[in-house]
Amino acid sequence: MNKEVKIMISKIFFLSGTPGTGKTTAANRLKDHDFFIISVGDFVIKYNLYCDEDKKRDTKIIDDEKINTFFSKYLVDTNISKPIIIESHYADVIEIPCELAIILRCHPHILEKRLQSRNYSPEKIRENVQAELLGDSTSHMLEKEELVEKGAIFEIDASNFTIEETAKKIIEIIQKPGNFQNLKAGWLSWLSDPTVHIENYLD
Protein backbone atom coordinates (compact mmCIF):
# COMPACT_ATOMS: atom_id res chain seq x y z
CA MET A 1 0.00 0.00 0.00
CA ASN A 2 2.73 2.46 0.93
CA LYS A 3 4.64 1.58 -2.23
CA GLU A 4 1.59 2.42 -4.30
CA VAL A 5 1.22 5.80 -2.60
CA LYS A 6 4.87 6.58 -3.28
CA ILE A 7 4.38 5.86 -6.98
CA MET A 8 1.24 7.93 -7.33
CA ILE A 9 2.31 10.92 -5.26
CA SER A 10 5.64 12.59 -6.01
CA LYS A 11 6.44 14.52 -2.85
CA ILE A 12 4.91 14.58 0.63
CA PHE A 13 6.10 16.70 3.56
CA PHE A 14 5.01 16.58 7.21
CA LEU A 15 4.45 19.79 9.20
CA SER A 16 4.05 19.25 12.93
CA GLY A 17 4.26 21.12 16.21
CA THR A 18 2.41 21.81 19.42
CA PRO A 19 -1.01 23.50 19.02
CA GLY A 20 -0.41 27.25 18.86
CA THR A 21 2.97 27.16 17.12
CA GLY A 22 1.48 28.37 13.82
CA LYS A 23 1.19 25.17 11.75
CA THR A 24 -2.27 25.67 10.33
CA THR A 25 -1.85 29.37 9.55
CA ALA A 26 1.51 28.81 7.88
CA ALA A 27 0.16 25.84 5.94
CA ASN A 28 -2.74 27.93 4.65
CA ARG A 29 -0.28 30.57 3.48
CA LEU A 30 1.64 27.86 1.60
CA LYS A 31 -1.41 27.26 -0.58
CA ASP A 32 -0.36 30.43 -2.41
CA HIS A 33 2.94 28.73 -3.27
CA ASP A 34 1.40 25.80 -5.13
CA PHE A 35 1.33 23.31 -2.27
CA PHE A 36 -1.64 21.04 -1.61
CA ILE A 37 -2.42 21.26 2.11
CA ILE A 38 -3.96 18.48 4.16
CA SER A 39 -4.94 19.56 7.68
CA VAL A 40 -5.43 16.20 9.36
CA GLY A 41 -7.62 17.55 12.15
CA ASP A 42 -10.27 18.62 9.64
CA PHE A 43 -10.34 15.14 8.10
CA VAL A 44 -10.52 13.50 11.52
CA ILE A 45 -13.73 15.36 12.29
CA LYS A 46 -15.27 15.20 8.80
CA TYR A 47 -14.65 11.48 8.31
CA ASN A 48 -14.90 10.34 11.94
CA LEU A 49 -11.30 9.17 12.12
CA TYR A 50 -11.37 8.99 15.91
CA CYS A 51 -12.30 6.34 18.43
CA ASP A 52 -13.48 8.45 21.35
CA GLU A 53 -13.81 11.97 22.73
CA ASP A 54 -12.19 13.45 25.78
CA LYS A 55 -14.79 16.01 26.81
CA LYS A 56 -12.76 17.23 29.77
CA ARG A 57 -9.86 18.15 27.48
CA ASP A 58 -12.19 19.09 24.59
CA THR A 59 -10.36 16.87 22.13
CA LYS A 60 -10.84 13.85 19.88
CA ILE A 61 -8.91 10.66 20.53
CA ILE A 62 -7.63 9.72 17.11
CA ASP A 63 -7.70 6.23 15.65
CA ASP A 64 -4.29 5.60 14.04
CA GLU A 65 -5.54 2.67 11.97
CA LYS A 66 -8.52 4.60 10.60
CA ILE A 67 -6.32 7.58 9.73
CA ASN A 68 -3.75 5.53 7.85
CA THR A 69 -6.33 3.45 6.00
CA PHE A 70 -8.16 6.62 4.98
CA PHE A 71 -5.14 8.60 3.76
CA SER A 72 -3.53 5.71 1.90
CA LYS A 73 -6.71 5.44 -0.16
CA TYR A 74 -7.39 9.18 -0.34
CA LEU A 75 -3.98 10.08 -1.74
CA VAL A 76 -4.20 7.44 -4.45
CA ASP A 77 -7.82 8.16 -5.40
CA THR A 78 -7.32 11.93 -5.44
CA ASN A 79 -4.11 11.63 -7.51
CA ILE A 80 -2.73 14.99 -6.38
CA SER A 81 -0.03 16.37 -8.65
CA LYS A 82 1.16 19.23 -6.41
CA PRO A 83 3.65 18.70 -3.57
CA ILE A 84 1.65 17.87 -0.44
CA ILE A 85 2.06 19.21 3.07
CA ILE A 86 0.35 17.09 5.72
CA GLU A 87 -0.20 19.37 8.70
CA SER A 88 -1.06 18.20 12.21
CA HIS A 89 0.39 18.04 15.70
CA TYR A 90 0.10 14.27 15.32
CA ALA A 91 1.41 14.06 11.75
CA ASP A 92 3.89 11.49 13.02
CA VAL A 93 1.17 8.82 13.24
CA ILE A 94 0.73 8.84 9.46
CA GLU A 95 2.58 5.91 7.93
CA ILE A 96 3.10 7.28 4.44
CA PRO A 97 6.59 7.80 2.97
CA CYS A 98 7.59 11.46 2.97
CA GLU A 99 10.54 13.57 1.89
CA LEU A 100 11.08 15.35 5.18
CA ALA A 101 9.36 16.64 8.31
CA ILE A 102 9.38 20.13 9.79
CA ILE A 103 8.38 20.85 13.39
CA LEU A 104 7.44 24.38 14.36
CA ARG A 105 8.57 25.40 17.85
CA CYS A 106 7.51 28.34 20.00
CA HIS A 107 8.90 29.82 23.19
CA PRO A 108 6.73 28.54 26.09
CA HIS A 109 5.91 32.07 27.35
CA ILE A 110 4.67 33.13 23.91
CA LEU A 111 2.81 29.86 23.39
CA GLU A 112 1.05 30.26 26.73
CA LYS A 113 -0.25 33.70 25.71
CA ARG A 114 -1.42 32.41 22.32
CA LEU A 115 -3.37 29.57 23.92
CA GLN A 116 -4.89 31.93 26.47
CA SER A 117 -6.14 34.08 23.58
CA ARG A 118 -7.88 30.95 22.22
CA ASN A 119 -9.70 30.60 25.54
CA TYR A 120 -8.16 27.21 26.27
CA SER A 121 -8.77 25.93 29.78
CA PRO A 122 -5.87 26.33 32.25
CA GLU A 123 -5.40 22.54 32.20
CA LYS A 124 -5.23 22.42 28.40
CA ILE A 125 -2.80 25.35 28.29
CA ARG A 126 -0.54 23.70 30.85
CA GLU A 127 -0.64 20.39 28.99
CA ASN A 128 0.31 21.97 25.66
CA VAL A 129 3.01 24.20 27.11
CA GLN A 130 4.50 21.17 28.84
CA ALA A 131 4.46 19.31 25.51
CA GLU A 132 6.31 22.18 23.83
CA LEU A 133 8.76 22.55 26.70
CA LEU A 134 9.66 18.86 26.43
CA GLY A 135 9.71 18.86 22.63
CA ASP A 136 7.04 16.17 22.33
CA SER A 137 6.31 16.79 18.62
CA THR A 138 9.99 16.39 17.78
CA SER A 139 10.35 13.30 19.96
CA HIS A 140 7.40 11.61 18.28
CA MET A 141 8.70 12.41 14.81
CA LEU A 142 12.11 11.01 15.75
CA GLU A 143 10.42 7.61 16.08
CA LYS A 144 10.14 7.53 12.27
CA GLU A 145 13.35 5.66 11.50
CA GLU A 146 13.32 6.36 7.77
CA LEU A 147 13.41 10.12 8.40
CA VAL A 148 16.07 9.83 11.10
CA GLU A 149 18.30 7.74 8.85
CA LYS A 150 18.35 10.37 6.12
CA GLY A 151 18.54 13.32 8.52
CA ALA A 152 15.26 14.73 7.27
CA ILE A 153 13.67 16.17 10.43
CA PHE A 154 14.02 19.91 11.00
CA GLU A 155 12.92 22.36 13.69
CA ILE A 156 12.02 26.02 13.16
CA ASP A 157 11.86 28.42 16.09
CA ALA A 158 8.89 30.45 14.88
CA SER A 159 8.39 32.29 18.18
CA ASN A 160 8.92 35.75 16.70
CA PHE A 161 8.30 35.02 13.03
CA THR A 162 5.44 36.48 11.06
CA ILE A 163 3.33 33.98 9.15
CA GLU A 164 5.09 35.07 5.95
CA GLU A 165 8.51 34.46 7.52
CA THR A 166 7.48 31.04 8.77
CA ALA A 167 6.08 30.03 5.38
CA LYS A 168 9.23 31.28 3.65
CA LYS A 169 11.49 29.28 5.97
CA ILE A 170 9.43 26.13 5.39
CA ILE A 171 9.76 26.58 1.63
CA GLU A 172 13.51 27.17 1.90
CA ILE A 173 14.01 23.97 3.88
CA ILE A 174 11.86 21.97 1.47
CA GLN A 175 13.74 23.31 -1.54
CA LYS A 176 17.27 23.00 -0.16
CA PRO A 177 17.33 20.90 3.02
CA GLY A 178 21.11 20.51 2.77
CA ASN A 179 21.51 24.21 3.53
CA PHE A 180 19.87 23.85 6.94
CA GLN A 181 22.02 21.36 8.82
CA ASN A 182 21.88 23.77 11.76
CA LEU A 183 18.12 23.28 12.01
CA LYS A 184 18.10 19.49 12.21
CA ALA A 185 16.00 18.04 15.03
CA GLY A 186 17.64 18.42 18.41
CA TRP A 187 19.19 21.85 17.99
CA LEU A 188 16.57 23.57 20.14
CA SER A 189 15.91 22.91 23.83
CA TRP A 190 13.73 25.13 25.98
CA LEU A 191 14.95 23.19 29.02
CA SER A 192 18.35 24.85 28.65
CA ASP A 193 16.93 28.31 27.90
CA PRO A 194 17.53 30.60 30.91
CA THR A 195 14.50 32.73 30.01
CA VAL A 196 12.17 29.76 30.55
CA HIS A 197 11.05 29.22 34.13
CA ILE A 198 10.59 25.46 33.99
CA GLU A 199 9.11 25.22 37.46
CA ASN A 200 6.05 27.18 36.25
CA TYR A 201 5.07 24.44 33.81
CA LEU A 202 6.23 21.07 35.06
CA ASP A 203 4.36 19.14 37.74
Side-chain angles (χ1 to χ4, degrees):
M1 183 180 296
N2 285 347
K3 184 177 181 182
E4 184 178 14
V5 172
K6 194 169 185 179
I7 291 171
M8 298 295 291
I9 307 299
S10 57
K11 291 186 178 181
I12 295 175
F13 306 92
F14 292 157
L15 179 61
S16 187
T18 307
T21 53
K23 299 180 306 302
T24 304
T25 312
N28 286 333
R29 191 58 54 89
L30 290 168
K31 290 178 182 178
D32 299 331
H33 296 273
D34 210 32
F35 286 94
F36 187 92
I37 306 301
I38 294 177
S39 291
V40 180
D42 294 341
F43 283 81
V44 166
I45 295 172
K46 184 175 181 179
Y47 297 100
N48 297 316
L49 305 178
Y50 56 93
C51 55
D52 203 352
E53 295 185 60
D54 186 333
K55 293 184 178 179
K56 183 178 180 181
R57 294 166 60 237
D58 188 28
T59 188
K60 301 284 191 295
I61 299 175
I62 62 171
D63 187 312
D64 294 9
E65 184 175 350
K66 282 185 179 180
I67 286 176
N68 282 293
T69 298
F70 174 85
F71 279 113
S72 292
K73 186 175 187 302
Y74 173 82
L75 290 171
V76 172
D77 291 348
T78 310
N79 195 21
I80 303 161
S81 59
K82 296 179 179 181
I84 300 167
I85 291 180
I86 296 179
E87 171 268 314
S88 172
H89 70 273
Y90 43 80
D92 57 277
V93 307
I94 298 176
E95 298 173 357
I96 292 172
C98 76
E99 301 295 313
L100 57 80
I102 296 172
I103 295 95
L104 296 189
R105 306 295 304 275
C106 181
H107 192 287
H109 296 346
I110 295 174
L111 182 64
E112 182 177 26
K113 291 178 181 179
R114 290 181 184 177
L115 298 181
Q116 288 171 342
S117 70
R118 294 184 180 186
N119 294 318
Y120 277 25
S121 69
E123 294 79 11
K124 194 169 182 178
I125 291 172
R126 186 178 181 83
E127 177 182 300
N128 282 295
V129 174
Q130 283 181 352
E132 174 60 23
L133 182 62
L134 297 174
D136 281 1
S137 292
T138 301
S139 297
H140 294 322
M141 197 65 73
L142 284 169
E143 294 178 8
K144 301 184 82 65
E145 293 181 4
E146 70 280 9
L147 289 178
V148 173
E149 287 175 0
K150 61 182 182 179
I153 304 175
F154 300 85
E155 294 178 289
I156 298 173
D157 179 3
S159 303
N160 298 301
F161 279 9
T162 64
I163 295 305
E164 289 77 11
E165 290 170 334
T166 302
K168 180 182 178 183
K169 183 61 68 176
I170 291 170
I171 292 170
E172 289 174 345
I173 293 174
I174 286 174
Q175 290 178 337
K176 295 184 178 180
N179 291 350
F180 296 94
Q181 300 298 305
N182 61 315
L183 296 184
K184 282 191 176 182
W187 76 269
L188 190 157
S189 173
W190 299 125
L191 294 174
S192 59
D193 187 328
T195 68
V196 177
H197 304 294
I198 301 172
E199 65 278 4
N200 292 341
Y201 302 112
L202 297 182
D203 296 326

